[in-house]
Amino acid sequence: MGHEGVGFKSGSTRSGLPTTRSRVPRGRQIQKTFNNVKITVLCGFVTLLVLRGTIGVGNLTGSTLESEDQRVVEDIDRILREIRTDSEPEPQDPLSSLYFVNSTAHNWTYAEAVEAVNYSLGPKISDWDQQRQVWLSQNPNFPNQLLGKHRILLVTGSPPNPCDNAIGDHYLLKSTKNKIDYCRLHGIEIVYNMAHLDKELAGYWAKLPLIRKLMLSHPEIEWIWWMDSDAFFTDMAFELPLEKYKNHNLIIHGYPDLLFEQHSWIALNTGSFLFRNCQWSLDLLDAWAPMGPKGIVRELAGKILTANLKGRPAFEADDQSALIYLLTSQQDKWMSKVYVENSYYLHGFWAGLVDKYEEMIEQNHPGLGDERWPFVTHFVGCKPCGSYGDYPVERCLNSMERAFNFGDNQVLRLYGFAHKGLVSPKIKRVQDQTSDPLQVKEKLDMAARITM
Amino acid sequence: MLERCIGERRLRQIQRGVRNMKLTFLCLLLTLLVLRGTIGAGKYGTPQQDFIELRQRFISHPHRALAEQNQPEPKPKKSDKDDEPPLRSLNDPYSLGPKISDWDSQRADWIRRHPERPNFLTKTKPRVLLVTGSSPKPCENPVGDHYLLKSIKNKIDYCRVHNIEIFYNMALLDAEMAGFWAKLPLIRALLLAHPEVEFLWWMDSDAMFTDMAFELPWERYAPYNLVMHGWDEMVYKDKNWIGLNTGSFLLRNCQWSLDLLDAWAPMGPKGPVRTEAGKILTKTLKDRPVFEADDQSAMVYLLVTQKEKWANKVYLESAYYLHGYWGILVDRYEEMIENYHPGLGDHRWPLVTHFVGCKPCGKFGDYPVERCLKQMDRAFNFGDNQILQMYGFTHKSLASRRVRRVRNETSNPLEVKDELGLLHPDFKAVQHHAS
């Protein structure tokens, strides 16, 4: 710039004869150079300032709060990684060669694999009913009935590690609170399992050894009720009609036509079912377990199930398909003691229910248990704990929140509160406090309509 | 051409002028840039904002996903502000609810009318309701909810073995009494709604049961209405703010307790009341730091200033760890396993290990995150081992989530007794009466 200016100035004197550089006096030259250097330095300085200002050494000054925050977050990430590496699979055992399908030595068939693995849930027991009767008579302080009702043990659980998706743990917590509430209102005990009791029957099969173990340890329990961790109670007033099941040992939600005529792989749902504590149940568990052992058995069993059950995709054997296959192929042996329940939602598939909650509050009341006021809303396929579910995450989480609040309203009502909306964690008072609270309690009906 | 119109000299002047203007503009632009760079130009961007934008674009933060999913509410944020209650002034007294003066007789009537829900399960064992809770919103710390889940499983296990009911609270009943004071309106609501409950046992969410075999000595508490862990001298003589602990305490369901709650509550309401009360507490109590009033300090203050009224019904228990500060316990678990056995409840085998100051749900506690979480895992496994042994299993180590078998399956399961006798313990036995 200055250079131009200088050039320009000298240019103006060029109007006459051309002036060569050698004619410019020495002093002037030095001054010119000096000016140029000044300007260069100034420009350089300005450039540096600009760069510092825009591109960002904003972090150098950086707020200490943010860097502390960052450090805590890094700590937590590292701890999470350590926790997850603790769950690496066990070192291989000698029989491991049987667990891999790519074993080239032999082309296994399912029957051969089952025989080779020779899995068993435990030593065979044949006289469980008698053992149990004797124990009950010797232990009158641990009866199998309380206040005329058979004792029920609700069993649920989740893996011992933090969820891959942190929000999953939050919904496991809410689901547990939901179960605690229902069971407190109905005098049911809860076992929350976080241990892998049997490494061969891992995953969805883990409930089998657990159920067997609990049955044999608690003879005072008449019914073991397995419930998935992604199932929520949405009818707090509904009581299981146990008298209906006097002559049955397995109560499971499903549709007889889908089961017997279509052999559909979703004819029954093993997310919520009841087993009577008796010999028959032990035998059924023994007959159910063979398709479970991880590895080659489960793979081959999966192929059989996909071939025989309608609509089943190709994947390893799961407990639900295996039970359906068992009950349909050995119908005469088992079905007389199985009650396929669909008069109420012992298991209620969530997608068809969650959008209707407001309508239900408007038109119906708790205690019905069926499509008017579902007993259980089961979030099949959502998998909030893992990374990949079958449905969009937002929809699942939103719906789970709604189902939780729908059930929670029926509990809060006892204390005079309700949620502000089905998606809101905030609550509002719906009944004024009084100096005569027991009069209010006497009149309280769990099955009365809900006002929001 | 232009030369001819204006004249050469004129032209050169104009050219010079133009060049000067160019220079001026350039300089101005640079100045503006520099100023924006150093001082910032508000909504046109500051270097900090630029940096944040750049960071967000290039670094995907796993916790961002959590924060996004944190908002299931479609409602705008404005509604939150409307819900905040106006701050109570110092001369506007707070009340937990309408005054009740005849609770004992109301309750006795109800129990008489409902013999199917007695307040005593056996001659000596009262009906107990364990109350705990946490926020209905996901924890800020992504692993916090996992520890809340483990903590509630731990409580479910103890309560199943000891025939105690649980109430897990996730509702803020009174916005004024938020924070540590939230338990007061909750306790009152539960006492009034459950006349059949004889004792309400409040337990913090960061406290874990580490002795599954220890049954509380109920007969000892027959003459008392409030049982807390603490020491008489530290409370009444020293006026020490940690002379007792309100993280785990028993409150009997009676008129006295309602009156106590009414006397305890006034320091609680958020705002100037709580702040001023905090100053009084710091002044009166030994070693108390400066912060707003908390329920524990307020309880010490209440007992000290109104000793004649309340102290005769308050039992400060120090014979076992109704509350056990984790700092002095967690490193000794292996030693305890070596030398002692469950059922003692005291320093040899603590009933409760309470992770005071850890705050696993938030991001900042008073102790390093790693120590807290690792020790919570150990305490959980220490207690869980006593439950798993009922079924023939144990954790591989106190730090490991994995379990191993310690008792083989048998075809005569009922002849096998678990070592601790927790499968069918005496304290779970139902009173055998003709029905």
Side-chain angles (χ1 to χ4, degrees), chain B residues 156-378:
Chain B
I156 289 174
D157 286 330
Y158 180 89
C159 292
R160 182 181 66 255
V161 170
H162 291 264
N163 214 350
I164 293 174
E165 292 179 46
I166 302 179
F167 187 91
Y168 195 95
N169 182 53
M170 274 184 166
L172 181 61
L173 300 189
D174 189 338
E176 271 193 280
M177 302 284 268
F180 15 62
W181 289 94
K183 58 177 81 107
L184 266 73
L186 174 66
I187 290 174
R188 187 178 198 268
L190 289 170
L191 289 177
L192 297 181
H194 294 285
E196 73 279 10
V197 166
E198 181 66 22
F199 266 112
L200 191 146
W201 184 350
W202 168 265
M203 199 154 153
D204 279 356
S205 60
D206 55 0
M208 296 225 211
F209 283 106
T210 33
D211 190 340
M212 294 295 178
F214 185 84
E215 171 79 356
L216 263 58
W218 300 110
E219 310 85 26
R220 192 188 303 176
Y221 305 138
Y224 301 100
N225 294 334
L226 172 59
V227 181
M228 292 178 287
H229 184 270
W231 300 269
D232 283 323
E233 325 80 58
M234 275 186 80
V235 170
Y236 299 114
K237 220 161 55 105
D238 295 345
K239 303 192 177 123
N240 196 320
W241 79 298
I242 49 169
L244 50 79
N245 189 284
T246 53
S248 171
F249 64 87
L250 299 163
L251 188 67
R252 191 185 292 276
N253 193 351
C254 58
Q255 182 64 48
W256 183 97
S257 301
L258 295 180
D259 296 337
L260 179 80
L261 289 170
D262 283 335
W264 191 7
M267 288 192 166
K270 233 165 39 171
V273 176
R274 210 185 277 190
T275 327
E276 286 309 307
K279 295 188 185 136
I280 299 173
L281 292 172
T282 305
K283 214 168 53 160
T284 324
L285 303 178
K286 178 166 178 246
D287 290 346
R288 187 184 191 270
V290 177
F291 67 110
E292 55 178 18
D294 65 301
D295 61 307
Q296 183 172 300
S297 311
M299 174 55 81
V300 177
Y301 183 80
L302 183 66
L303 291 182
V304 157
T305 51
Q306 298 182 31
K307 187 171 175 185
E308 339 68 45
K309 187 161 182 204
W310 307 106
N312 66 330
K313 289 289 185 184
V314 175
Y315 189 91
L316 292 179
E317 177 68 79
S318 50
Y320 65 90
Y321 280 130
L322 179 60
H323 138 85
Y325 170 60
W326 68 285
I328 55 172
L329 296 170
V330 291
D331 297 308
R332 293 179 35 228
Y333 286 147
E334 279 84 2
E335 186 196 306
M336 293 174 193
I337 294 172
E338 224 7 85
N339 301 321
Y340 303 115
H341 57 86
L344 303 169
D346 53 22
H347 62 280
R348 297 169 295 174
W349 201 284
L351 171 66
V352 171
T353 302
H354 185 188
F355 287 86
V356 191
C358 270
K359 303 194 184 82
C361 195
K363 274 215 199 103
F364 301 104
D366 306 330
Y367 301 93
V369 169
E370 184 156 5
R371 173 145 168 88
C372 275
L373 297 185
K374 286 221 158 103
Q375 296 306 328
M376 287 176 85
D377 273 333
R378 279 163 54 81

Side-chain angles (χ1 to χ4, degrees), chain A residues 1 4 177 415 441-442, chain B residues 19 23 113 168 193-194:
Chain A
M1 299 176 286
E4 245 187 84
K177 168 186 158 64
Y415 310 103
K441 186 177 164 85
E442 289 283 11
Chain B
R19 273 190 206 151
L23 274 175
R113 283 199 306 274
Y168 195 95
H194 294 285

Side-chain angles (χ1 to χ4, degrees), chain A residues 102 132 267 319 328 410:
Chain A
N102 296 333
R132 207 180 151 230
D319 61 310
T328 49
Q410 299 165 50

Side-chain angles (χ1 to χ4, degrees), chain B residues 14-283:
Chain B
I14 291 168
Q15 276 179 337
R16 209 192 313 175
V18 167
R19 273 190 206 151
N20 280 343
M21 296 266 273
K22 263 199 281 188
L23 274 175
T24 314
F25 273 125
L26 261 171
C27 287
L28 199 69
L29 194 70
L30 269 174
T31 313
L32 277 174
L33 263 179
V34 168
L35 282 176
R36 177 191 180 281
T38 48
I39 307 174
K43 66 173 172 158
Y44 295 111
T46 64
Q48 193 71 350
Q49 288 175 12
D50 289 346
F51 183 68
I52 291 169
E53 257 170 71
L54 268 174
R55 191 171 63 177
Q56 278 184 349
R57 193 165 305 162
F58 293 128
I59 304 170
S60 70
H61 208 270
H63 308 294
R64 208 154 59 92
L66 174 60
E68 280 169 7
Q69 279 153 7
N70 220 345
Q71 319 292 334
E73 271 189 66
K75 297 203 180 106
K77 280 292 166 189
K78 250 200 308 186
S79 62
D80 285 359
K81 286 291 171 204
D82 296 335
D83 300 334
E84 289 288 326
L87 293 178
R88 189 173 286 273
S89 74
L90 288 169
N91 38 25
D92 182 13
Y94 172 82
S95 155
L96 283 168
K99 180 94 186 119
I100 298 178
S101 318
D102 61 341
W103 179 238
D104 288 333
S105 63
Q106 280 195 39
R107 196 178 160 238
D109 271 340
W110 195 92
I111 292 172
R112 210 175 16 249
R113 283 199 306 274
H114 295 266
E116 76 283 1
R117 296 277 288 166
N119 58 329
F120 272 85
L121 302 176
T122 68
K123 266 208 192 63
T124 48
K125 191 178 159 86
R127 185 187 296 275
V128 181
L129 179 68
L130 186 114
V131 183
T132 184
S134 61
S135 165
K137 304 205 177 99
C139 287
E140 260 182 40
N141 181 344
V143 89
D145 279 306
H146 178 70
Y147 285 92
L148 284 174
L149 183 68
K150 286 176 93 157
S151 175
I152 188 58
K153 169 189 155 61
N154 169 277
K155 294 180 175 80
I156 289 174
D157 286 330
Y158 180 89
C159 292
R160 182 181 66 255
V161 170
H162 291 264
N163 214 350
I164 293 174
E165 292 179 46
I166 302 179
F167 187 91
Y168 195 95
N169 182 53
M170 274 184 166
L172 181 61
L173 300 189
D174 189 338
E176 271 193 280
M177 302 284 268
F180 15 62
W181 289 94
K183 58 177 81 107
L184 266 73
L186 174 66
I187 290 174
R188 187 178 198 268
L190 289 170
L191 289 177
L192 297 181
H194 294 285
E196 73 279 10
V197 166
E198 181 66 22
F199 266 112
L200 191 146
W201 184 350
W202 168 265
M203 199 154 153
D204 279 356
S205 60
D206 55 0
M208 296 225 211
F209 283 106
T210 33
D211 190 340
M212 294 295 178
F214 185 84
E215 171 79 356
L216 263 58
W218 300 110
E219 310 85 26
R220 192 188 303 176
Y221 305 138
Y224 301 100
N225 294 334
L226 172 59
V227 181
M228 292 178 287
H229 184 270
W231 300 269
D232 283 323
E233 325 80 58
M234 275 186 80
V235 170
Y236 299 114
K237 220 161 55 105
D238 295 345
K239 303 192 177 123
N240 196 320
W241 79 298
I242 49 169
L244 50 79
N245 189 284
T246 53
S248 171
F249 64 87
L250 299 163
L251 188 67
R252 191 185 292 276
N253 193 351
C254 58
Q255 182 64 48
W256 183 97
S257 301
L258 295 180
D259 296 337
L260 179 80
L261 289 170
D262 283 335
W264 191 7
M267 288 192 166
K270 233 165 39 171
V273 176
R274 210 185 277 190
T275 327
E276 286 309 307
K279 295 188 185 136
I280 299 173
L281 292 172
T282 305
K283 214 168 53 160

